[in-house]
């Protein structure tokens, strides 16, 4: 370990600029799907209030990493901890921990049989044991914040993709999460709806939410990210500020990748 | 015809058919839901248990199960559900009909579960719902709606399959009585049609009801 580095107190984290006050610590994580080594010795620490954008070519393991953080995927070796607490195995403790980790999916995954309001209040009522009236009040506030309060009594299928994704964000926020994970939240959206979702996310970042965001939206990365993590073939190849990474990528893989997405 | 109607208690026989249907339907729904939960549970051994249940009961002829319940379980092993012989047979008929159709209810529910995108179960887990809560709040309500149409088919099959209980019930339900009438009075088309009509009257409303329900309850995606 490097004694000159002030952040060397965080064990075995090899990224150059490790935050002082860690929220998510991923340490030596490995995972296979059959023969495929999808996560290779991943080390990453995300500080409280930090926004980390993860990018990389298709199949590089970004989604798997994201899902491993709230144990939607199991890992074979290494440890992941949230706010100092290691991820529990199955059961109630895991459910408790997941309540503290918000997750927004590419395909929204709203509960199709529940109204928008009930989508947002389900977790607070069942997991946080809030009263129905408290949960409703909070839902109204959150829906207002993401700009879909007028749709509260509709069903998910009646909303546009952008609206659904904003509801999904509100649903996560209703749990009062310590960290939010986003897995390509705008990839399934029509282009004209991308910004309405990104705006909500930028707002969250400004308010100090800890966020791990898999996205290829350079605009978001430049505007909101503290660090960019570049993955390829299951490895973290490069970590840097958005400025460094986009203007001066060090690895050939990153240069190649940026060349491809920037020419679009 | 009027002769037969006054000589034999046809309404009584259909009433037994209705009772058998209602009790067995409740039993099959409850048991089938439990087996379906086993089949989607995260524990491997429970899934195996559920799968074995379905494979055993779906692939064994109902007549065989009926006969086995009375000859095997009741006479040989002495497991009696009632001291009264005909009551014992009646209760065994309900049990066998429930157990047998539970396998089909399970599969209907599972096809309903398959209408629920996997992402919704993940979203439920991601907000911190336990396995039981995700089932109750997210999976099963949608699975039941998606399963309404196939469940309707199972129920109609169940009503018709109550006739198999004749092998252990004798003449107390509709099919048994039809056999008795045919034996005593000679085969007659009108009598046969009368009984067929009876079953159509019992099943047709279900068919209509379930088609209606499945459209009304369908989850929009
Ligand atoms: N459940 C699974 N079973 C087997 N292989 C899987 C599974 N999930 C993902 N993979 C494989 O693991 C690799 C990494 O997948 P992952 O979804 O993490 O990539 P990604 O970086 O998110 O890609 P994309 O940009 O396309 O979303 C891919 O090759 C994928 O095919
Ligand atoms: Mg992905």
């Amino acid at each position: 370990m490097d004694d000159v580095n002030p952040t060397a107190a965080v064990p075995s984290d090899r990224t150059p600029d490790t935050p002082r006050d860690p929220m998510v610590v991923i340490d030596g994580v490995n995972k296979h799907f059959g023969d495929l080594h999808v996560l290779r010795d991943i080390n990453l620490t995300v500080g409280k209030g930090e926004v980390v954008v993860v990018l990389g070519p298709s199949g590089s393991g970004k989604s798997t990493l994201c899902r491993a953080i709230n144990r939607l995927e199991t890992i074979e070796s290494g440890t992941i901890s949230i706010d100092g607490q290691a991820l529990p195995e199955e059961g109630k403790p895991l459910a408790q921990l997941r309540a503290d980790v918000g997750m927004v999916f590419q395909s929204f995954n709203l509960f199709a049989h529940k109204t928008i309001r009930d989508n947002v209040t389900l977790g607070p009522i069942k997991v946080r044991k809030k009263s129905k009236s408290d949960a409703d009040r909070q839902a109204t506030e959150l829906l207002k914040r993401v700009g879909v309060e007028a749709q509260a009594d509709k069903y998910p299928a009646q909303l546009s993709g952008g609206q659904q994704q904003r509801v999904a964000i509100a649903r996560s926020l209703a749990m009062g999460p310590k960290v939010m994970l986003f897995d390509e939240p705008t990839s399934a959206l029509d282009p004209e709806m991308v910004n309405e979702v990104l705006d909500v996310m930028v707002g969250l970042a400004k308010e100090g939410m800890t966020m791990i965001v898999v996205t290829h939206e350079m605009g978001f990365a430049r505007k909101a990210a503290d660090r960019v993590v570049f993955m390829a073939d299951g490895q973290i190849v490069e970590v840097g500020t958005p400025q460094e990474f986009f203007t001066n990528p060090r690895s050939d893989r990153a240069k190649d990748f940026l060349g491809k997405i920037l020419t679009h | 015809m009027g002769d037969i109607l006054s000589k034999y208690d046809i309404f009584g026989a259909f009433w037994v058919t209705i009772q058998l249907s209602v009790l067995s339907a409740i039993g099959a729904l409850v048991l089938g839901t439990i087996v379906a939960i086993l089949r989607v549970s995260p524990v491997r051994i429970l899934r195996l248990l559920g799968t074995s249940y379905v494979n055993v009961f779906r692939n064994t002829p109902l007549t065989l199960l009926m006969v086995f319940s009375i000859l095997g379980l009741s006479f040989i092993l002495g497991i009696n559900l009632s001291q009264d012989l005909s009551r014992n047979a009646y209760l065994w008929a309900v049990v066998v009909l429930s157990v047998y159709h539970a396998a089909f209810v399970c599969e209907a529910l599972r096809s309903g579960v398959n209408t629920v995108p996997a992402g919704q179960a993940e979203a439920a887990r991601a907000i911190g719902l336990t396995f039981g809560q995700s089932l109750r709040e997210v999976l099963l309500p949608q699975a039941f709606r998606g399963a309404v149409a196939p469940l309707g088919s199972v129920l109609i099959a169940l009503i018709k399959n109550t006739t198999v209980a004749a092998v252990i019930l004798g003449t107390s339900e509709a099919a048994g009585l039809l056999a008795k009438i045919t034996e005593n009075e000679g085969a007659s088309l009108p009598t046969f049609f009368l009984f067929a009509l009876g079953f159509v009257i019992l099943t047709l409303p279900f068919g209509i009801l379930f088609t209606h329900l499945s459209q009304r309850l369908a989850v929009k995606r």
Side-chain angles (χ1 to χ4, degrees), chain A residues 58-59 61-64 106 183-184 214:
Chain A
S58 180
K62 307 179 297 292
S63 295
T64 309
Q106 181 174 347
D183 188 3
E184 304 207 30
V214 178

Side-chain angles (χ1 to χ4, degrees), chain A residues 111-119 122 154-156, chain B residues 137-138 141:
Chain A
F111 306 130
H113 64 306
K114 288 189 180 290
T115 62
I116 297 308
R117 188 195 320 277
D118 290 347
N119 264 274
L122 180 65
K154 292 190 181 161
Y155 286 87
Chain B
E137 299 293 333
V138 177

Side-chain angles (χ1 to χ4, degrees), chain B residues 153-176:
Chain B
S153 307
V154 172
L155 277 189
I156 288 170
L158 183 149
I159 294 173
K160 295 189 293 181
N161 284 343
T162 56
T163 54
V164 176
V167 299
I168 64 170
L169 286 184
T171 60
S172 61
E173 58 67 67

Side-chain angles (χ1 to χ4, degrees), chain A residues 31-34 36-39 54-67 73 106 183-184 187 214 216 231 234:
Chain A
K31 178 175 180 73
H32 290 79
F33 280 125
L36 188 68
H37 200 167
V38 269
L39 296 180
V54 180
L55 35 75
S58 180
S60 55
K62 307 179 297 292
S63 295
T64 309
L65 177 63
C66 214
R67 293 160 55 80
E73 300 285 356
Q106 181 174 347
D183 188 3
E184 304 207 30
S187 301
V214 178
H216 291 163
M231 286 182 75

Side-chain angles (χ1 to χ4, degrees), chain B:
Chain B
M1 191 84 235
D3 197 29
I4 284 172
L5 275 174
S6 60
K7 224 163 125 190
Y8 300 94
D9 187 7
I10 294 180
F11 288 108
F14 269 107
W15 178 234
V16 173
T17 296
I18 292 172
Q19 287 178 344
L20 274 179
S21 303
V22 172
L23 293 177
S24 312
I26 294 170
L29 279 177
V30 172
L31 197 56
T33 306
I34 295 171
V35 179
I37 291 173
L38 291 183
R39 288 205 73 175
V40 300
S41 92
V43 185
R44 219 180 88 97
I45 186 89
L46 294 184
R47 280 202 303 273
L48 204 70
L49 207 67
T51 314
S52 316
Y53 183 101
V54 170
N55 284 334
V56 167
F57 289 109
R58 202 172 49 168
N59 296 311
T60 312
L62 181 55
T63 316
L64 205 76
L65 290 173
M66 282 289 174
V67 173
F68 176 72
S69 73
I70 285 298
L71 291 185
L73 297 174
S74 200
F75 288 175
I76 299 176
L77 295 177
I79 309 173
N80 289 313
L81 301 175
S82 164
Q83 293 311 313
D84 180 45
L85 268 186
S86 68
R87 179 106 190 123
N88 184 46
Y90 175 79
L91 292 177
W92 269 117
V94 171
V95 169
V96 170
L97 284 169
S98 303
V99 165
Y100 176 79
H101 289 96
F104 294 89
V105 167
C106 167
E107 290 308 276
L109 284 178
R110 233 166 51 95
S111 76
V113 168
N114 289 339
T115 66
V116 187
Q120 298 212 11
E122 290 195 338
R125 283 191 282 157
I127 59 172
L129 297 183
T130 60
F131 174 69
Q133 287 173 325
S134 323
L135 271 183
R136 273 198 309 279
E137 299 293 333
V138 177
L139 266 174
L140 285 180
Q142 295 189 69
F144 271 114
R145 292 168 192 224
V148 167
L151 275 179
S153 307
V154 172
L155 277 189
I156 288 170
L158 183 149
I159 294 173
K160 295 189 293 181
N161 284 343
T162 56
T163 54
V164 176
V167 299
I168 64 170
L169 286 184
T171 60
S172 61
E173 58 67 67
L177 186 62
L178 175 62
K180 180 173 157 191
I181 295 174
T182 307
E183 200 178 303
N184 292 351
E185 316 284 334
S188 109
L189 279 182
T191 314
F192 179 77
F193 285 134
L194 181 68
F195 277 85
L197 182 70
F199 276 97
V200 172
I201 290 173
L202 288 187
T203 53
L204 197 62
F206 274 106
I208 296 170
L209 176 74
F210 275 89
T211 308
H212 176 72
L213 275 183
S214 74
Q215 283 161 0
R216 240 189 61 121
L217 293 178
V219 180
K220 301 216 173 34
R221 306 208 179 274

Side-chain angles (χ1 to χ4, degrees), chain A residues 70-92:
Chain A
N70 66 357
R71 214 165 191 281
L72 288 176
E73 300 285 356
T74 55
I75 54 177
E76 286 140 20
S77 62
T79 57
I80 297 178
S81 62
I82 312 284
D83 203 10
Q85 202 190 344
L87 279 185
E89 300 280 309
E90 284 303 320
K92 214 167 176 95

